[in-house]
Each structure stands twice: as structure tokens, then as C-alpha cells.
Amino acid sequence: MPELPDLLDDALLRDVLATGLARGADFAEVYAESRRGRLLRLEDGRVEQLSSGRDLGAGVRVISGDRIGYAYTNVLSRDALQEAARVAAGAVQGTAEKTVADLTSLSRRADHPVRVPPLEVERPELVGLAERVDASARGESGDIAQVIVTYQGSEREILVANSEGRLADDHQTRTRLSAQVVAARNGRTETGFYGPGTSGGHELFDQYTPESIGRTAAARAATMLDAEPAPTGEMPVVLWRGDAGVLFHEACGHGMEGDHIARDTSIYASRAGEQVASPLLNGVDDATVQNGWGSFAFDDEGTPAQRTVMFADGVLTDFLLDRRSAHGLGASSSGNGRRQSYQHLPVPRMTNSHILPGEGTPDEAIAGLDRGILCKGLGGGQVNPASGDFVFGMTEAYLVEGGEIRHAIRGANLVGNGIDALRDIDMICSDFAVRWGICGKGGQQVPVSFGTPTLRISRMTIGGTA
Amino acid sequence: MSEDPLALARAVVRRARSNEDLEAFALHSTDTRIAVHGGELDSLSSAGSRGVGVRVIDQGRLGYAYTAEVTEAGLDDVVEQARANAVLSTPDEANLLPGSSPAPDVGGLVDGSFDEVSVEEKLELALELEATALAHEDVRTCGMVRYADSITRAAIASTNGVEREVERTDAWAFAQAIATREGSSQTGMGLTLGGGPRSLDVVAAGTEAAGRAARLLGARKPASGPTTVVFDPYVAAQFLGVLAGALGADAVLKGRSMFADRIGDAVGAPIVTLVDDGLREGAPGTSPWDGEGVPQQRTELIAGGTLQTFLHDTWTAARTGGGIASTGNASRSGYASLPSLAPTNLYLEPGGASGESVIRGVAEGVYVQDVMGLHSGANPISGQFSVSFSGLMIRDGEFAEPIAEAAVSSTIPDILRGIEAVGSDLRFYPFGGSLGGSTLRIREMSVSGG
């Protein structure tokens, strides 16, 4: 892979940044990206897709006051970059008289070491990994009707240079292997999913073997075949380790992102320093987790990765900021400026969002339920950012009565409000697990992970079976 | 390298070995995106990109690769990658490249005035959209105001003799208004789309966004029970999006469709005619040919309530057999994606009555304006779904009090059978494909509220 610093030398970067500032802007930035990736899909034992991708491009961002001009190209020539800088600068003319500072390169960091780079693995080995997932899923239950295995491996190099003199480049490797399993019996079908990922290479499979991935997804699907219609109404809910993170991410984390805060469109915007959540809650967003699926060494604005405390003993502490929202709030970026690719502007995003473990065991959390729900899987959902109201489908859930798990329930939705749910946490256990996902916001997809202990919320609304 | 996508596609095809089936899809696009907030430009993005995706089929084995590195070395590499990927794919005799057949003439794809419009004028459109929404007394702010346009030039060439080129221009703008009264807030969306900036009606979209948000203020939970339900056109379009998943032949072949083995059966009320029209003038999904170079066409999926056919691409047609041909429904979301089966412009054939008269026929019922969780809440196999919604009560044929925090549930087959009226107010939404929606009256669904 061509190294971006060789393609874009300091002299060229300085000239492009100077063009960006030439119309009176406050700030100019060049973001360049080079990416290679491979994708494999095994469907019912057949290699249905094996594809390779190569992306290369750069964008010039010019900021004048609150206005942003952006232009990108996937031709990395001097002429094309200068033209992009002219277009971006022309969109947001100002009266500032800034000059380009000397570019000081931040040393490349190896925060997330890669032992087995995914693009160096021979293709037949990828097929072998996927076939092991498939076989183990089918071995888990006699009711498995379909197994889809997806493998992704990619290497992405970014380079960021800005008029304040920052110059950073980062090499980000990602590997993920996931299984989606359909189980069927007597005309009923249920699905299960499991998909570990890393900002690393194939050493991922030492910790998460292909067999464990297949079995976990299959067990989830098979369990739900015995599910009965769900009850409705308000009741306490125990959210299982890892899976609780989907709720934390969607219903709380997004409201902590700086763009919503700076715009005052989040219910959390005016609540900094307040005890908004249960005193049991300690929550962080941490891009420094070694080889975390949402980790990096530098964000897409060249800010070093950080760990940000969002909730300390239930008190709302720090928001997740990119440069722009930080500027609006008179703060510094927390290293949460991320973009899907050079085709996108950076926006504040989560990385790895974690709820820290507390005390107690999941058994104790369940034993304390007179009548409630144990939720071990949350599916797709929707959140209204202005109010914090949310609805999530439960993909794996059980009815608990008298402190005992009765049976699996199906088709139920979890309905509630983010801030109410945080307040109503009455137990956080000492266990911990991570889940991996792709988060969409404003049309941009980025890898994120969620990690949580098992936790209990004293009351939520269960929307019943259709 | 050439700036012309067809020349690029040809340059890739020239790299094919003899007896190798190879297809190149090249895309050049230019985009402008504008976001405004509080009467000012928030961000403006302008872009040019180009790239090529390559399919190699070797004895039924399909390999894919794409590249944005449009150099001689980049094109050599992308062909090599596609070839290496093909070697390990499972052979499937239904993996075929389509041949060349005459494509229809489709007019109106390019708005001639597009190039005359300056960036400043586009910014003015976005600002006017926001100002119109903010002019409403209950609207203090907008969550999102966006303008976007694009010029796309696509080309396809293959060793099977396909050589096609098409250009499209598109523009759209939308606003999400936030209405607030006594501490509670509601949101509403307004949208306008067309072939270029000059064909947008931003005043109508701003008014629509504000009106939809404001009329929900003060919403309460409705009573529970079965009732007549009217879908807003936007909700009807989203419903068709879920239905589309079950009408693709890929879902049928993979045992994931509730409509498998139902061709010839009455699956809807007699007034239900569901059309996928890839040639419909002025609609967002219109093109003379699809993502494999196969001519697009008008397909009646359901006619007079009877299921006629499924949507096909080359692979599903070959796999189904029995003389079935592609319906021109291979879709490409960019040069990075393999073709996949998708509707072009999907809609219910509109009836004669306006949206208002569809509502006027309801003595008491529920108007569903916005839904949350339709995709996650719908089971594409069983057709069961339950979604939370906000909207309005209908009493004596008129909108009455607003309602929210409620769920509406039914099954897709029951809805199709229960459709009583399809409004004449058909419009297209460019979200997740091109889906048409009209005001839709359904005899009975189950509403659960307080």
C-alpha cells in the first residue's frame, strides 16, 4: 500500500492548506485516506461473495466562523487537491488573516498492535474460518435452517494535516467475523447473531474461535424457538452483560455527542454536573482500549485517542467532542471526531462505550425480580434525540417470576426514555462483556463497540407480541 | 486516464482473457450537500469521485473487486483481485452476465438548467426552506435542514457485448421541524425533490415540515382496540419498503418470503395493484437500464389483488428457471457494491380519490403520521409487525386530537387484504431506494395506547 506521507509531502500539504486559508478562513485541514479491504460471505456453506476493495481519496475542510466548506476528490494530484481547497475556501469566505503554521508531525503510534495482518492471510484460509463457523453453528442444534457467515478484513491509512501545524498519520487494521443463524421448527423461525471484531488482525480468533462464534449465534436462535408470547406493561428489566450496551449507546451515548450538545438539541445539554443517573452508574467512552473494535490511535481530525468519563457515580461529567463542537463549547476535542471516509465531514461519535462493573452477580439481579424480564439480546431500535424516547426489539428475552427464569418470550419491544432508564438503574453487577457493531449517524457508518456488566432497571415498558 | 465512464469501463473489459466473462461498472459523480442552521450556512460539501467495480465469472464462480485508483496499475490490480476472488467462490450455473438487448428511451433524466444554478442559489434554497418552517408560530428550531444534488454518469461494459451509458441529475431538500409548546416537543418532516434545484418547491416543504410537527403538539395516548387506520403517504411508502423485501425473488428462493408459492393467489383487496416501474418519468429510481445493463421495465407485482410475479435480476431469473427473465431490478448503490435485487420505483396504483377524501370516509379512526421501528418491528417471513406511532384521531371524516406513544399492529397480508382506498396523492421518497406513497385507508388494525 502506498504510504500517504510519500504521496503527499509537506510542501504540497502546506500549499493546499494555504489555498484553504486564502479567502479569509480561520482553519484549513487536509484529510487523506487509503484503504484496502476484503469481504467474504458464506451462505449455507457456499461462498456466495468474495470481494476486494480499494479506496483512495482526500478532502479539504475550511472553517470560517461556524461555517464549513468541504470538497473532496479521489484523484490525489496537486491540481486536484488545490482545486478542492479553492472550492472549499470559496464556500465560506471570511476576513481572518491566518497563515499555515509549521507542520509538526505527531509520531506514529502503535497503540493497537497487529500480529496477523488480515490482508496477508491467504484467501483459502478465510474460507476455512467461515466454514468452521458454519459447521459449529449447525452442530449446536438440530433446528438450524440457515447460517450466514460474514468475514471482513481491512487496512486503512489516514493522514491529517491542518493549518495550526498538526500532522498525524495512523494505520488502522480491522477484522471481524460474524454469524447470522436462522433456526426453524414447526413453521416458526428465529434468528441469532454474534459478531466479534477487533482493531487488529487474525489474533482475534485466539480469543473468539470460529467455533464459539457459530455456537453462540446458533444457541441464541434455537433458544427462541421455545419462546412464548410476551406480557405487556411496566415491569423491571435485567439487561444482560454486553447487550445492555446497545441501549446505553443508542439511548444515552448519542445524546452525549457534542453536536447535539452545542446545538442544544439533546436532553443532556444543560445537565452537566448534575446527578442525572443512578449513583451506581460509571460510564466512559474509550478509544484507547487496546485493539477495541472502535479504537484508534488518532481520530479523523488527528487528535490522539482518549478515554472520556461521561458519568461518574451518576453525575454527568464530560461530553464527546470533535474540534467543532469543542470550539462551540469552549473546550478541547475529546478525540471523538470520526468520519466514515474522506467523503465525509468529521462529526462527534462514540468509539468503545463502556459501563464500568459494579457489585453483585447476575443471579442476584434475577433473584430480586418478583415479575420482570431478563433481556439477553436487543435488536434494531429507534431513538428520538430531542426527547430521548426509544423503542427496541428484544431478540432474546425471558420472563422471570418469583426470582426464577420461566421461559423465553418473543416479539416484545422495550419502550422507554434514555434519561429515565439511567435514573432507574438499581443494580450494576460485577461481570462484563463486549459487543460489536456498526453505528450509523447522518449517513456515516463507523465501527463501535459497547461493553457493560449485567444491570437492572427498576421499571420499563414492555410492548407485547404483535 | 479518461474522464469518460464508458471509456473507463471499456479499458477494464479490454483486460479480460479470452473465454473469461468480465463486466465493468464505472461511475463518475459530482455532489453538492448543504446544511443550514439558524439562518446561516452550517456546512457545504462539494465532491467529485469516480471508480469502477469488476465482476469476473469463471465457470460459474463469481469474483468481485472495485477500485478508486483509476490508473493503468490500479485497473490491472482490480482485474487481478476479481479473478483471485472468483477462484474460491462456490460455482453456481446461475451466475451469468446478461447479453445486450435494446434499452428503452427514457426522457427527463437530466435537468438542463442544472449547470446554470450557482452554489449561492442552492444555499438560498436551503435558507428559504428553514425560514419557511420557522415562520410557523410553534416552530422554534429545525433539527435538520438539508439540500443535496448530484450529477451521476454511469457506464457498463462486458465481454458479453453490453455497452451502455446513462446520466442523471437529482436534487432534493428536506427539513425536520421541531414544534414546541408548554415544554413538550414534536417533530415533522417536509421534503421536496426533482431533477435539479430549479424544480424544488422549498416553501411547500418548509410548510409541510412545520405543519406536521405542530399538529402533533399536545398528543396523548389513544384508546386501545381495533379501528380503521389511515396511513400517511410517508408511512405507506415505508410499508411498501418492508413489503418489497418479501416480493424479491431472492427472498423467495432463500425461503424468506411469505409470498412463496402464492403466484396467482388473491393476496390483496381488488383495488390493490402494486407496480414497480423503472421507467416512470420523474421518479428517483428511473433509468433505461439496471445495474447489470438489463433494460428496466414496468412490472405489475400485484394486479387487482392477485399476485403476478416477483422482482428478478439475472441471477434469480436463471435460478428460478421456467422461462423467467430478469425484470431489470439489479441495483447498484455505487461502484463499490455488487449488483443486488431491489425495486426501482415501487408504488400502489393510485385511486381516483384525493388524500382528503380518503380520510373523509372515516367515521372514527386513527391517522398514522410517523412510525418508529417499522423495519425492526416487522417480521419479513411471518409478516407480523407492531410499531409505535404518532398521528391524529379521525372523527367524522376530519382530523381531531393528536395521539402518540401508541402502537399499531397487524400483519402484512391482513393490511393488503384490508386496503379500502388508495389516494391519488402519490409521491416518491428517495430514502432507501425509491418508494411511492399515497394516503392509504385500511379497514382494521389493532391500536394499543393507554
Side-chain angles (χ1 to χ4, degrees):
Chain A
M1 180 177 287
E3 297 284 313
L4 289 173
D6 297 339
L7 281 171
L8 307 169
D9 61 43
D10 284 13
L12 172 58
L13 291 169
R14 282 190 57 94
D15 289 350
V16 174
L17 292 172
T19 304
L21 291 181
R23 308 289 291 272
D26 303 317
F27 175 82
E29 174 196 71
V30 176
Y31 173 87
E33 180 182 28
S34 166
R35 187 183 174 282
R36 283 185 191 276
R38 292 197 297 205
L39 176 81
L40 175 124
R41 203 178 83 244
L42 186 82
E43 195 165 328
D44 289 333
R46 302 167 52 85
V47 179
E48 294 257 332
Q49 185 181 345
L50 181 52
S51 57
S52 310
R54 164 91 178 107
D55 284 301
L56 185 68
V60 180
R61 179 167 63 140
V62 176
I63 302 181
S64 183
D66 289 330
R67 297 167 298 144
I68 301 177
Y70 191 64
Y72 65 80
T73 171
N74 60 8
V75 180
L76 292 194
S77 67
R78 170 176 281 268
D79 287 352
L81 290 168
Q82 286 283 35
E83 175 60 18
R86 272 190 291 275
V87 170
V92 290
Q93 298 172 32
T95 55
E97 295 177 2
K98 297 277 171 91
T99 54
V100 181
D102 285 341
L103 293 176
T104 310
S105 183
L106 296 174
S107 52
R108 175 175 276 197
R109 303 186 348 184
D111 296 5
H112 309 289
V114 180
R115 211 174 72 227
V116 187
L119 299 187
E120 291 175 18
V121 174
E122 295 293 329
R123 285 178 170 86
E125 197 175 316
L126 308 183
V127 177
L129 285 168
E131 285 173 339
R132 283 163 63 192
V133 175
D134 179 90
S136 57
R138 288 174 199 284
E140 177 68 22
S141 156
D143 296 317
I144 303 305
Q146 185 187 54
V147 181
I148 298 175
V149 186
T150 307
Y151 164 90
Q152 297 157 266
S154 66
E155 289 180 14
R156 174 188 194 231
E157 189 193 6
I158 64 164
L159 180 148
V160 185
N162 72 33
S163 56
E164 294 171 359
R166 170 152 299 174
L167 178 61
D169 70 304
D170 193 18
H171 198 124
Q172 299 165 0
T173 300
R174 285 198 165 81
T175 304
R176 190 180 190 199
L177 184 62
S178 61
Q180 181 175 320
V181 176
V182 178
R185 193 198 303 148
N186 300 332
R188 271 193 48 196
T189 60
E190 296 289 347
T191 59
F193 178 85
Y194 194 60
T198 178
S199 61
H202 281 219
E203 60 276 12
L204 172 72
F205 307 124
D206 298 342
Q207 187 182 357
Y208 298 97
T209 63
E211 285 73 19
S212 72
I213 293 168
R215 279 198 302 267
T216 305
R220 291 180 160 197
T223 303
M224 292 303 287
L225 285 175
D226 299 317
E228 297 178 22
T232 58
E234 209 166 69
M235 58 192 84
V237 175
V238 172
L239 292 164
W240 201 244
R241 57 175 170 267
D243 296 292
V246 177
L247 193 68
F248 183 57
H249 170 99
E250 296 289 354
C252 307
H254 279 300
M256 298 289 287
E257 291 168 342
D259 46 352
H260 302 303
I261 303 298
R263 283 269 165 83
D264 199 13
T265 52
S266 162
I267 42 171
Y268 299 102
S270 57
R271 308 293 296 272
E274 287 183 35
Q275 181 87 41
V276 297
S278 158
L280 299 172
L281 181 74
N282 288 286
V284 302
D285 182 81
D286 190 354
T288 71
V289 173
Q290 193 174 72
N291 297 114
W293 174 238
S295 298
F296 42 75
F298 293 99
D299 77 358
D300 296 319
E301 299 182 296
T303 306
Q306 290 176 33
R307 179 180 190 268
T308 303
V309 177
M310 295 189 282
F311 298 96
D313 299 330
V315 175
L316 196 161
T317 47
D318 288 309
F319 298 117
L320 307 179
L321 308 178
D322 62 350
R323 285 185 56 99
R324 186 186 197 205
S325 58
H327 187 257
L329 296 166
S332 299
S333 167
S334 60
N336 288 88
R338 304 185 69 186
R339 16 187 160 199
Q340 178 180 319
S341 78
Y342 69 90
Q343 303 194 355
H344 302 88
L345 280 164
V347 284
R349 305 293 294 263
M350 283 171 271
T351 62
N352 307 293
S353 22
H354 291 176
I355 293 177
L356 305 185
E359 289 172 7
T361 66
D363 285 349
E364 289 163 10
I366 293 164
L369 293 189
D370 183 33
R371 186 164 191 272
I373 302 295
L374 168 61
C375 175
K376 286 186 149 188
L378 282 173
Q382 227 171 319
V383 180
N384 178 333
S387 64
D389 290 342
F390 62 76
V391 55
F392 287 95
M394 290 192 281
T395 53
E396 184 182 351
Y398 302 85
L399 178 68
V400 180
E401 283 177 327
E404 307 251 338
I405 298 171
R406 293 292 173 210
H407 53 75
I409 54 170
R410 66 185 150 89
N413 286 325
L414 210 50
V415 184
N417 177 280
I419 223 159
D420 292 349
L422 290 183
R423 184 195 60 213
D424 294 339
I425 295 173
D426 68 2
M427 187 168 178
I428 296 185
C429 302
S430 58
D431 56 345
F432 188 81
V434 174
R435 297 286 179 268
W436 313 263
I438 297 292
C439 172
K441 173 177 170 181
Q444 298 197 48
Q445 315 276 327
V446 298
V448 294
S449 79
F450 338 103
T452 71
T454 298
L455 53 90
R456 191 171 67 199
I457 296 174
S458 60
R459 55 183 178 164
M460 293 186 91
T461 301
I462 309 301
T465 302
Chain B
M1 297 289 305
S2 167
E3 287 301 309
D4 170 8
L6 186 56
L8 173 57
R10 283 178 178 146
V12 173
V13 171
R14 272 198 300 276
R15 286 166 159 81
R17 294 174 181 152
S18 57
N19 298 323
E20 183 174 60
D21 289 327
L22 187 149
E23 171 207 77
F25 173 81
L27 192 68
H28 290 194
S29 58
T30 312
D31 299 273
T32 302
R33 302 263 182 278
I34 296 171
V36 300
H37 186 74
E40 288 212 48
L41 171 69
D42 180 60
S43 66
L44 184 147
S45 154
S46 158
S49 75
R50 56 183 186 171
V52 61
V54 179
R55 288 200 290 173
V56 166
I57 298 176
D58 175 14
Q59 296 167 48
R61 299 170 193 269
L62 171 69
Y64 189 72
Y66 72 88
T67 189
E69 200 177 344
V70 184
T71 60
E72 295 294 341
L75 299 190
D76 286 345
D77 184 56
V78 73
V79 171
E80 276 310 314
Q81 297 283 340
R83 239 172 229 150
N85 289 332
V87 170
L88 287 166
S89 294
T90 305
D92 181 342
E93 73 277 10
N95 280 332
L96 300 166
L97 293 182
S100 186
S101 46
D105 252 348
V106 181
L109 293 178
V110 173
D111 181 328
S113 69
F114 202 99
D115 288 337
E116 301 162 14
V117 184
S118 66
V119 167
E120 290 73 23
E121 198 176 322
K122 295 171 182 178
L123 173 60
E124 283 306 316
L125 285 171
L127 292 171
E128 189 180 4
L129 171 58
E130 187 192 41
T132 309
L134 293 178
H136 193 289
E137 56 178 354
D138 291 318
V139 176
R140 269 194 321 148
T141 181
C142 286
M144 233 190 277
V145 182
R146 297 277 188 278
Y147 166 91
D149 66 41
S150 65
I151 304 173
T152 51
R153 287 195 296 152
I156 194 163
S158 80
T159 52
N160 233 4
V162 172
E163 288 211 342
R164 298 194 194 287
E165 214 177 355
V166 68
E167 180 173 359
R168 256 198 83 96
T169 62
D170 287 283
W172 49 266
F174 80 89
Q176 188 194 40
I178 302 178
T180 310
R181 194 190 295 156
E182 289 156 15
S184 94
S185 56
Q186 296 285 348
T187 60
M189 191 197 71
L191 167 76
T192 171
L193 68 135
R198 295 257 164 91
S199 52
L200 300 184
D201 187 344
V202 292
V203 171
T207 308
E208 181 186 22
R212 287 170 72 93
R215 71 186 183 186
L216 295 181
L217 284 169
R220 296 175 171 222
K221 288 188 181 192
S224 296
T227 185
T228 299
V229 169
V230 177
F231 281 176
D232 179 86
Y234 183 39
V235 174
Q238 292 178 74
F239 168 71
L240 290 191
V242 174
L243 180 61
L247 290 171
D250 53 343
V252 176
L253 288 165
K254 291 177 178 176
R256 290 199 291 257
S257 171
M258 71 196 93
F259 296 109
D261 306 318
R262 299 290 310 277
I263 285 182
D265 290 359
V267 297
I271 63 159
V272 173
T273 291
L274 180 68
V275 182
D276 180 74
D277 188 352
L279 305 176
R280 188 181 168 93
E281 195 164 332
T286 298
S287 173
W289 46 271
D290 74 355
E292 299 181 298
V294 171
Q296 294 199 165
Q297 64 181 50
R298 181 180 191 278
T299 307
E300 290 196 353
L301 294 161
I302 299 173
T306 302
L307 183 62
Q308 306 291 317
T309 183
F310 300 111
L311 296 177
H312 284 280
D313 59 16
T314 300
W315 181 83
T316 65
R319 167 92 9 242
T320 305
I324 298 284
S326 170
T327 51
N329 285 95
S331 160
R332 299 255 193 178
S333 52
Y335 60 80
S337 319
L338 273 160
S340 67
L341 191 67
T344 57
N345 303 297
L346 186 71
Y347 59 95
L348 286 169
E349 194 65 68
S354 67
E356 292 80 49
S357 31
V358 169
I359 294 160
R360 221 171 289 136
V362 180
E364 185 178 308
V366 159
Y367 184 79
V368 179
Q369 176 172 309
D370 281 310
V371 291
M372 258 172 63
L374 185 57
H375 283 272
S376 59
N379 181 326
I381 301 171
S382 70
Q384 282 189 339
F385 72 88
S386 174
V387 293
S388 64
F389 76 96
S390 50
L392 298 155
M393 288 300 298
I394 304 170
R395 295 185 200 286
D396 300 323
E398 304 275 347
F399 284 149
E401 72 277 15
I403 50 179
E405 292 180 64
V408 62
S409 57
S410 183
T411 70
I412 288 170
D414 282 349
I415 290 180
L416 287 175
R417 280 191 293 267
I419 292 175
E420 289 181 332
V422 182
S424 59
D425 50 350
L426 174 64
R427 58 189 290 196
F428 285 88
Y429 297 86
F431 308 131
S434 166
L435 299 166
S438 330
T439 303
L440 205 60
R441 190 167 80 223
I442 298 127
R443 190 187 316 125
E444 187 179 287
M445 291 175 75
S446 169
V447 169
S448 61

